[in-house]
Each structure stands twice: as structure tokens, then as C-alpha cells.
Amino acid sequence: MEILADKLRPKKLDDIIGQSHLIGEDKILTNLVKNKKLFSMIFYGKPGIGKTSIANALVNELNLHYKFLNATINNKADFDTAIMEAKMYGDMVLIIDEIHRMNKDKQDLLLPYIENGTIILIGLTTSNPYHKINPAIRSRCQIFELHELDSKDIKAGLKKALKNFEDIKVDNDTLEYIANLSSGDMRFALNLLEVSYYSGDKTITIETVKKINSKPVFFHDKDGDGHYDVISALQKSIRGSDVDASLHYLARLIEAEDLDIIYRRLSVIAYEDIGLANPGIGPRVMAAISAAELVGLPEARIPLGEIVVEMALSPKSNSSHLALNAALNDIHKGNTGNVPDNIKTSSTTYLYPHDYPNDWVKQNYMPKNLIGKKYYIQKNNKIEENLNKLHKEMRNEK
């Protein structure tokens, strides 16, 4: 029996819900279909936001021969068969789900056929391909991040799905509740709607849904912005050194099992808000993330809780973040200038600092029009004070 989520899978890009940065007038995927051209690509993002649907829509609209494989489930023989089919048809689109789990043997098998165009690869993954996918595969693909669906997107999908049920009775508040409960996962929302319909008397209420899924709704408010508010609140609580509030918002994200956004946000906070005040925090955050990924939920909460406490209690500095922003601002304004002659690749006047006392020698590194420009402004914390003290001593400054 076909489930609702599969039955409603879009046949064309116009049926896709969300992803307006990729689909629509003058957007890249729509233009590819318009120009009847497809390249190897990787879609990544959270579950249930349209990766498989977009892949299916592309091959259907372009009327291309395709095969769907899963990197975890399908073995090397299945990939051999796919290559034989591709050779027979002259070309073929190979859609690979969970591509981040594809082992080296399968990758080595596919690479030459992706290279010569016999296979057009569409990879699907919930993991960041820049971290989890072999560079040899990644370099041959265009990478597109799919954005999370908000509650309005989910409600639109649910309302479209209602046409597939006879005599269904469901009010707007219940649809809103299902949308909020889904945390941006359209497949989850559709499955929950279908189970709610068949488990009762065709009348779906919030109480009906709660009997099926008692998971609390934490993220969303009436405007559908609550998900992003919780993420923002976590960062601002850590930045503000409120350890209890930090743990509260971490707990909400853990309860929603939104580990990817926790990993990304903690990594940002380590360098944006704590920075040079505690430069060892970055590697410790990565160690906590690795431990959380290794053990999975529910134990993942243990290393994540510990690192969030440490981050909230840590001294804070955004000096390096502000310094780079200031440098980037100059670049955007075109305020650059030529690299000084003494540090060009072919320079014969470069002074090698390691040949001098304290491994430092006075020479100019800035473009002529930026000499004397200051981007970095020290913050008052022990680490930066010590770093700047050592820096002055190296330069024999008082």
C-alpha cells in the first residue's frame, strides 16, 4: 500500500513546496529544466524538506532515464548494474540517497563514469557534503543546500494533501499543531496526518494527534518563527553568559532531536562570541560534537550539555570576528591595493623573520594605501592581554 508522502511526491518543480532560492522564475533549477540540461549535483539538508522530491521532479520533467540507489542498502553489484544500464542508454541519472555513506569502492567505481558524463549523479544527504563526502566526488558536483521548511510551508502541503481523503474533518488549529510538531519535516507531517485519519473516525483534532505523537511542541509560535527564535536564544544566552538559559534552549533543541543545528550553532558561537578570550574552546566544541555523533541520542546530550556549560561560563570576545568584518568591508568597497613588492612571490628584498632576534623584523606587509590601517582592536580579557603583551615584547615595544 502506497503511503501518502510517496503518493504526493511532486512530479514537477512547480509542485515543490519551499526552496524558493532554487526554484522559480530565473532560479537555477528551474532554468536547468527550461534549458533541458542537467549536471551532477548534491542536495543536502534536513530530512523531509524535499531532496528526493526535487531529484524526482528534475528527471521527470527532463524525461531522463534514471535509477535510484541507497549508498547504505545497495551493494557494489547494484552499482555495477547501474553502470551497465548507463552504458546501454548512453547516459543515465543516478540518484544516490545517503551519499555521505558511500564507501570508497563504490566511489572509485563511479568516478570515471561521472567524469566522462555517462552518469549524471544526484546525491542526497542530510550531512554537510563539505565535511562528509569524498572530495573526488564533491569536486565533480554542484552543491545546493536546501532550506528548512517553515510552518506555513508545511501547512500548505497538508492542505494540498486533504484532497486525498474522503469526508475528512480537520480544523486550522489542528493543521497548525501538526505543522509545528513536524519541525520542518514535510514527510513527518504527511505521515502523521495519514495515521490520524485512519486511526479515528475521519475527524482529526489536536487530541487525536496527541494520542499518536505526544512529543511536545517547543519551537513554533503563531508566526512560525519560533524555531529560529530558539536557535537565536541559545546563542544569545551563551553570549550573555547565562548558563541556565543556555541549558534550557539546548534542551529544547535536543528534545526536538535537532542535532545538526546544535552542531552548527555551537561551532559558530565558539569563534564568534568566545573567540580569543578562550581560543581552546573551538577544538573542545569539535570534540564534543564528535562524541555526540559517536554515541547518538539520548547519550549525545551529555557531551553537548557539558560543552554548553563551559561555553556559557567562558570569558567572551568578538575582537577577531569584528576585525575580519572590518577587513572584508574594505574588500567590498574596493579598498585593496597592490601587494607590496617585498612580499611578492618573486621578491628579492623580503626579510625572513626567523633570521632575526625574536623572529621578527620590521618591514611593510600592507598595500601602500592601507599602511597604518587597524582592523584588530584588543578586548580586555587575560588571553588577549597576554597575547598583545607578548606581541609588543617581540617587537621591542613598550
Side-chain angles (χ1 to χ4, degrees), residues 64-65 85-93 117-120:
L64 298 171
H65 179 72
E85 286 187 34
K87 289 178 179 177
M88 183 173 64
Y89 282 94
D91 58 40
M92 183 178 72
V93 178
T118 304
I119 286 176
I120 296 173

Side-chain angles (χ1 to χ4, degrees), residues 24-293:
E25 188 175 355
D26 289 330
K27 299 299 171 64
I28 183 165
L29 295 185
T30 300
N31 285 340
L32 287 178
V33 170
K34 181 180 177 182
N35 294 316
K36 301 185 185 307
K37 189 69 176 177
L38 194 62
F39 301 91
S40 289
M41 58 185 69
I42 294 171
F43 296 127
Y44 80 99
K46 289 182 64 177
I49 60 174
K51 298 184 292 295
T52 304
S53 294
I54 291 175
N56 281 330
L58 285 170
V59 294
N60 283 327
E61 285 208 70
L62 292 170
N63 196 29
L64 298 171
H65 179 72
Y66 73 96
K67 193 174 187 69
F68 191 99
L69 296 177
N70 185 295
T72 302
I73 298 171
N74 294 105
N75 57 30
K76 188 172 178 288
D78 297 321
F79 282 79
D80 283 325
T81 301
I83 290 171
M84 288 178 61
E85 286 187 34
K87 289 178 179 177
M88 183 173 64
Y89 282 94
D91 58 40
M92 183 178 72
V93 178
L94 184 60
I95 303 171
I96 302 179
D97 198 10
E98 297 191 78
I99 191 172
H100 61 284
R101 298 184 184 278
M102 190 164 64
N103 64 32
K104 189 176 185 301
D105 286 347
K106 295 172 185 174
Q107 292 176 29
D108 291 343
L109 189 66
L110 291 178
L111 275 173
Y113 300 101
I114 297 172
E115 187 72 41
N116 66 24
T118 304
I119 286 176
I120 296 173
L121 173 68
I122 300 182
L124 314 176
T125 176
T126 56
S127 297
N128 189 327
Y130 295 103
H131 299 160
K132 296 295 181 71
I133 293 179
N134 185 299
I137 292 285
R138 196 175 65 225
S139 68
R140 289 163 173 80
C141 299
Q142 299 301 313
I143 296 175
F144 300 110
E145 180 179 8
L146 270 60
H147 295 168
E148 294 183 35
L149 302 177
D150 61 27
S151 64
K152 291 179 182 177
D153 294 327
I154 300 294
K155 279 182 68 178
L158 290 171
K159 287 180 178 179
K160 186 180 290 188
L162 294 179
K163 301 172 185 176
N164 290 267
F165 299 98
E166 294 182 5
D167 304 322
I168 189 171
K169 295 179 182 178
V170 55
D171 60 28
N172 193 61
D173 287 343
T174 302
L175 291 178
E176 182 84 34
Y177 183 81
I178 294 173
N180 291 344
L181 196 63
S182 73
S183 297
D185 187 332
M186 179 65 77
R187 182 170 52 242
F188 176 92
L190 293 173
N191 289 342
L192 185 54
L193 178 70
E194 186 173 26
V195 173
S196 299
Y197 174 78
Y198 286 109
S199 64
D201 58 359
K202 300 183 180 180
T203 299
I204 305 175
T205 65
I206 290 177
E207 291 306 313
T208 307
V209 177
K210 283 182 177 179
K211 290 177 183 177
I212 298 166
N213 191 307
S214 59
K215 180 180 175 182
V217 176
F218 288 122
F219 285 161
H220 298 269
D221 52 23
K222 290 182 179 178
D223 297 323
D225 297 325
H227 177 65
Y228 302 100
D229 287 343
V230 173
I231 298 164
S232 174
L234 173 66
Q235 179 161 7
K236 288 171 181 171
S237 298
I238 294 175
R239 180 188 296 154
S241 301
D242 188 324
V243 65
D244 297 304
S246 301
L247 287 168
H248 171 77
Y249 294 116
L250 174 66
R252 288 168 72 158
L253 291 166
I254 287 173
E255 186 65 25
E257 300 182 3
D258 205 346
L259 293 181
D260 281 345
I261 194 62
I262 294 172
Y263 299 159
R264 291 197 297 271
R265 190 52 60 117
L266 293 185
S267 298
V268 169
I269 297 168
Y271 294 96
E272 179 182 349
D273 295 308
I274 297 174
L276 289 174
N278 183 0
I281 198 69
R284 290 200 292 281
V285 167
M286 293 310 298
I289 290 171
S290 295
E293 279 212 306

Side-chain angles (χ1 to χ4, degrees), residues 50 161 296 321:
H321 171 59

